[in-house]
Amino acid sequence: MKITLDIKELDYGALIAALLPTVHGHIAKDENTFANKILLKLTALPPATVQKMVNLLPRETQDELAVLLIQKNKDKILELITKLAKENHVSFRVEDFQVEG
């Protein structure tokens, strides 16, 4: 089964501020992408500042940052989905998911 979610009106700042601390040590300093460079700079800031700064960025950049962080948190997100299902007595396992901006 394949389920596709179309997310609208996402608070990118809040999402990125929430996910950023979990990947702080895993952001590759040698990965030379624009989004990666921004994430490296944001990791040194408090979450409230990250949220405000991200919300000021162009939507395309916000998308790129969110996709990168979701991909880097893929295992944790899969665990959370499985845990939520189990707590609600639904038996299933998500093997994988794709995210694109």
Side-chain angles (χ1 to χ4, degrees), residues 30-85:
D30 59 345
E31 192 175 316
N32 200 18
T33 65
F34 181 66
N36 200 69
K37 289 177 185 178
I38 291 174
L39 289 178
L40 282 171
K41 292 183 187 313
L42 291 175
T43 57
L45 302 173
T49 304
V50 169
Q51 185 171 350
K52 289 176 185 173
M53 290 183 73
V54 167
N55 286 333
L56 294 173
L57 295 170
R59 181 63 68 183
E60 183 179 293
T61 304
Q62 291 176 349
D63 282 340
E64 195 175 339
L65 292 173
V67 167
L68 181 60
L69 279 176
I70 290 169
Q71 288 172 339
K72 288 185 179 288
N73 280 281
K74 198 175 216 180
D75 291 341
K76 290 181 177 89
I77 293 168
L78 290 172
E79 285 177 26
L80 180 63
I81 292 169
T82 303
K83 180 181 174 188
L84 183 60

